[in-house]
Amino acid sequence: MRDDVEVLASVDALADAAARRFVAAAGAAIGARGEFIVALAGGSTPRSTYDRLAEPQYSSSVDWPRVQVLWGDERCVNPESPKSNYAMAREALLDHVRVRKENVHRIHGEDDPAAEAIAYEQVVRGVLKTPAGAPRRANGARIDLVLLGLGEDGHTASLFPASTVAGGGERGLNALGNGAHRAVASGGDDARWVEAVFARATAMWRVTLTPVVINAAAEVVFIVSGDAKAAIVRRVLDGPRVPHELPAQLIAPAAGRVRWLLDAAAAAALS
Ligand code: 6PG
């Protein structure tokens, strides 16, 4: 087993481990510079982690007014929709802790996807104090912790196979939903940090951070559970590197660390 993979006995133990990682990362960042910048994951898996973080045992260990909250991606739905990643995090965690309203930077899924991608990139650039150019790897100018999930097709955030947006120094294509594609720049100064993507599988527009800004993070933690993910976990971690097919393999912070937190079911196919 690789040293960046931790297997937990159950979903509950996984939620505890993820909550502990969050608390540790927050404590280190706030201790060092008085601020913690986190990008929350969407989907259903992280909900148990957010529920755990809202419990006093964990919530009392985070200086919430010093936390800046971003999202790794959002579905283009209203913020009250049960499909909204913001709604899930708000219900499970943010409504239960003293995070400052002005520090909760949700992606406006209700707005035009392409316009929101441009707007949210400015929000992220503001939080990371980098108005222009490539992401910096200095603490305070990068996300301290990015939480990610893993789809059964190898996607993460809204970086989907074949129509993966660019980043990580590789040219990519941004599916515009009508079959058209727009080549987007590689990981240079002009690379986009946020893109709008049409997710064919769910016929839904999404707005996502790109690998360029995720790979500048200090730490990325994948939280994966359930036997349905065992095969894709093995392909992503133990299989050949085919990032165009398995976008989760695009995630490789140049000056940060990736951790995989798996429950036993999701890790069952690993060598
Ligand atoms: C989303 C997430 C997506 C998710 C995976 C896993 O908006 O859905 O960003 O990348 O993490 O699809 O989803 P589950 O946790 O629901 O299995």
Side-chain angles (χ1 to χ4, degrees):
M1 188 70 70
R2 302 165 22 160
D3 65 1
D4 52 3
V5 177
E6 185 177 351
V7 179
L8 291 306
S10 66
V11 174
D12 270 355
L14 174 61
D16 271 318
R20 283 197 302 275
R21 274 309 318 144
F22 184 107
V23 169
I30 292 168
R33 56 177 219 277
E35 180 187 63
F36 174 55
I37 303 169
V38 62
L40 297 181
S44 57
T45 302
R47 177 149 201 153
S48 54
T49 297
Y50 301 159
D51 286 332
R52 195 67 94 260
L53 273 171
E55 293 170 6
Q57 168 191 2
Y58 291 106
S59 63
S60 62
S61 303
V62 178
D63 190 352
W64 292 100
R66 293 179 178 273
V67 178
Q68 293 281 348
V69 183
L70 299 167
W71 271 263
D73 75 325
E74 183 58 280
R75 293 85 176 271
C76 292
V77 294
N78 277 313
E80 298 78 28
S81 163
K83 292 191 171 70
S84 162
N85 290 334
Y86 162 74
M88 186 271 277
R90 204 204 68 236
E91 288 159 16
L93 174 59
L94 301 178
D95 282 351
H96 310 285
V97 294
R98 292 180 302 112
V99 66
R100 291 203 175 112
K101 191 173 173 54
E102 65 269 25
N103 291 347
V104 175
H105 309 285
R106 73 178 181 89
I107 298 171
H108 289 220
E110 67 276 24
D111 291 348
D112 169 73
E116 178 56 16
I118 292 167
Y120 200 67
E121 175 158 332
Q122 292 311 307
V123 169
V124 178
R125 285 184 174 277
V127 172
L128 299 188
K129 309 169 193 66
T130 308
R136 294 179 290 145
R137 293 171 189 166
N139 289 332
R142 61 180 179 168
I143 302 173
D144 295 298
L145 175 63
V146 179
L147 297 179
L148 291 173
L150 178 68
E152 291 180 45
D153 61 355
H155 81 260
T156 190
S158 289
L159 306 170
F160 292 95
S163 64
T164 301
V165 295
E170 299 174 30
R171 291 198 70 75
L173 291 173
N174 178 15
L176 298 181
N178 54 7
H181 283 79
R182 171 166 53 85
V184 288
S186 62
D189 278 359
D190 59 346
R192 295 290 303 277
W193 293 15
V194 183
E195 285 274 7
V197 178
F198 186 73
R200 289 193 189 86
T202 53
M204 179 187 287
W205 279 92
R206 295 189 174 204
V207 173
T208 186
L209 297 188
T210 64
V212 166
V213 67
I214 296 172
N215 284 336
E219 181 178 7
V220 176
V221 172
F222 283 90
I223 306 170
V224 191
S225 75
D227 52 16
K229 302 287 176 73
I232 193 63
V233 163
R234 178 190 175 98
R235 284 188 64 202
V236 168
L237 288 181
D238 286 352
R241 180 170 162 69
V242 285
H244 201 59
E245 290 174 37
L246 302 174
Q249 291 182 339
L250 284 169
I251 306 307
R257 100 165 268 188
V258 180
R259 281 187 171 88
W260 289 78
L261 299 181
L262 310 171
D263 68 0
L270 285 178
S271 54

